[in-house]
Amino acid sequence: MKILVTGGTGYIGSHTAVELQLQGFEVVIVDNLSNSHADVVDRIEEITNIRPEFHQFDLIDREKTKSFFAGHPDLDGIIHFAAFKAVGESMADPLMYYRNNLDSLINILQGMKDNGLKNLVFSSSCTVYGQPDELPVKETSPIKEAWSPYGNTKQMSEQIIRFAVEAYGLKTIALRYFNPIGSHDSALIGELPLGVPNNLVPFITQTAIGLRQSLNVFGSDYDTPDGTAVRDYIHVVDLAMAHVVAVNRMISASGKSDFEIFNLGTGNGFSVLEVIKSFEKVSGESLNYKIVGRRPGDVEKVWADTSFANQELGWKAQKSLDEMMGSAWKWEQALADKKSSNKH
Ligand code: UFG
């Protein structure tokens, strides 16, 4: 079985490529390397002993995407990760986000239609819910007005896919990720934020390793037990495994409908301060942080109702917060070791 993984050298894509290969799938990666490195392909090979086929091009390029699909008529499924994902950047340049995230999706759907390919797994996000009225949030909860162009591209993508599925007889599973963190146990692949990280966990580990002075905790006056914002953090390997299950479900035609949506989280909410405490416990480091004002655009609290994914997919996230923080720290230390050995 051959699976195209777009964005396969990125954070979630690379972990998914590994799990697919470990379970016997043949993986073809397409990535433009705009936010990742070509040597991730070497790392995937190192972990699995199999080198995935790799193509470097931009999926917003219609002609290149068309000829790629024409040359790969034997794909059994596609997992589409490739997208921009920074909320703040999308506020500053919305058109860049709409063009990148929507054009690439449309080109892929076109390639599927033209070549009779059926199965798509799409990377969606809990951001489609905004601040839900009820927690934990279910897949059937209303989609609220988007808080950012990034979030809007995920909402629009789901709608585009829904109509394409109907019109062209495709099968799609949209996976709404909560907050993916951590890295592969080998510490050979992980999250590689360019510049100053936006997300909490890479900021924590970079502060602890000495790359940043201090972590800003955004807001302590939320309506949560300790006043800091609450999220559902999920280990990236748990998330990757859910993609393998989703691909198998589509290939074996065991889905309940042709367009299914699943929340991927643990079902547990943790506050920013709880995440920091867990990090300090597993690393033995004391983190330099200070409480500052809220970050514009942040929701107060969100965590997943995972019962639909648990029952229907037979999948459940396994890793605890401590394990997630432990693996994120191991990855940061591995990066630091690599940097210092490059210097010598
Ligand atoms: N936070 C800090 N300090 C930081 C960074 C983050 O206190 O330096 C806090 C945030 O305010 C938030 C929590 O840590 O309360 C998590 O923030 P992240 O930036 O790690 O994650 P978000 O929940 O903001 O964003 C994630 C994804 C987005 C997605 C969004 C949906 O990164 O792609 O979830 O809620 F859109």
Side-chain angles (χ1 to χ4, degrees):
M1 290 284 167
K2 196 186 266 193
I3 309 296
L4 166 63
V5 180
T6 77
T9 54
Y11 176 42
I12 308 175
S14 59
H15 287 82
T16 301
V18 164
E19 295 308 318
L20 284 167
Q21 294 199 151
L22 291 176
Q23 301 216 19
F25 288 94
E26 201 178 316
V27 171
V28 181
I29 291 176
V30 170
D31 203 303
N32 66 357
L33 301 180
S34 66
N35 194 23
S36 59
H37 296 283
D39 67 4
V40 171
V41 178
D42 305 332
R43 301 290 92 78
I44 294 170
E45 182 179 7
E46 210 174 325
I47 296 168
T48 62
N49 287 320
I50 303 161
R51 190 166 186 85
E53 184 180 320
F54 173 58
H55 301 264
Q56 184 187 347
F57 69 91
D58 199 323
L59 289 155
I60 71 169
D61 185 323
R62 233 161 117 175
E63 287 311 311
K64 281 192 185 144
T65 307
K66 198 173 166 182
S67 71
F68 170 82
F69 275 104
H72 291 80
D74 56 342
L75 292 170
D76 297 289
I78 296 159
I79 310 182
H80 180 39
F81 291 104
F84 291 157
K85 59 169 186 176
V87 175
E89 190 181 60
S90 79
M91 305 289 276
D93 196 347
L95 294 183
M96 182 172 92
Y97 268 65
Y98 288 112
R99 200 179 294 283
N100 187 69
N101 291 4
L102 299 182
D103 276 3
S104 56
L105 173 67
I106 291 167
N107 289 342
I108 288 167
L109 290 169
Q110 186 74 49
M112 293 178 71
K113 173 179 179 261
D114 293 346
N115 294 280
L117 305 176
K118 294 279 172 229
N119 302 319
L120 175 73
V121 176
F122 177 69
S123 290
S124 190
S125 165
C126 69
T127 194
V128 301
Y129 300 118
Q131 177 60 64
D133 296 326
E134 278 173 45
L135 288 169
V137 62
K138 286 191 190 341
E139 289 84 349
T140 48
S141 299
I143 300 298
K144 299 251 187 94
E145 196 169 325
W147 289 37
S148 71
Y150 160 72
N152 197 207
T153 66
K154 292 296 175 189
Q155 295 177 337
M156 293 170 79
S157 295
E158 287 192 4
Q159 291 169 337
I160 292 168
I161 290 169
R162 188 160 58 86
F163 287 114
V165 162
E166 247 178 66
Y168 311 133
L170 312 178
K171 274 203 201 73
T172 302
I173 296 182
L175 299 175
R176 292 180 178 158
Y177 311 149
F178 283 66
N179 287 53
I181 60 170
S183 73
H184 194 260
D185 197 43
S186 63
L188 289 168
I189 53 172
E191 193 172 7
L192 265 179
L194 289 179
V196 182
N198 293 307
N199 296 115
L200 177 63
V201 173
F203 210 107
I204 289 177
T205 55
Q206 288 198 5
T207 304
I209 208 102
L211 291 172
R212 315 268 154 225
Q213 284 253 306
S214 166
L215 168 79
N216 286 330
V217 173
F218 298 131
S220 59
D221 58 350
Y222 285 113
D223 181 20
T224 59
D226 64 22
T228 63
V230 168
R231 296 286 184 276
D232 185 337
Y233 296 92
I234 175 168
H235 196 287
V236 66
V237 174
D238 278 332
L239 199 66
M241 285 174 172
H243 291 75
V244 181
V245 175
V247 163
N248 275 322
R249 183 178 175 91
M250 287 191 309
I251 290 173
S252 62
S254 45
K256 290 246 164 76
S257 72
D258 289 339
F259 180 44
E260 296 187 300
I261 297 175
F262 295 99
N263 281 344
L264 295 186
T266 65
N268 303 311
F270 288 104
S271 73
V272 176
L273 291 180
E274 285 174 314
V275 173
I276 294 173
K277 267 188 216 123
S278 163
F279 173 77
E280 290 184 324
K281 184 170 91 183
V282 300
S283 67
E285 302 284 323
S286 147
L287 190 77
N288 196 12
Y289 70 90
K290 60 175 182 295
I291 309 259
V292 300
R294 294 181 179 195
R295 180 170 69 176
D298 272 349
V299 301
E300 181 168 78
K301 49 190 166 189
V302 63
W303 61 94
D305 184 324
T306 61
S307 48
F308 190 53
N310 298 159
Q311 282 156 22
E312 278 298 317
L313 298 178
W315 163 92
K316 202 172 177 9
Q318 302 293 331
K319 304 253 201 244
S320 67
L321 182 63
D322 287 351
E323 288 172 297
M324 298 185 221
M325 298 312 290
S327 82
W329 182 227
K330 191 170 163 189
W331 168 243
E332 192 69 62
Q333 289 175 305
L335 286 177
D337 286 350
K338 204 168 136 196
K339 242 198 239 164
S340 77
S341 67
N342 283 347
K343 267 188 209 146
H344 296 140

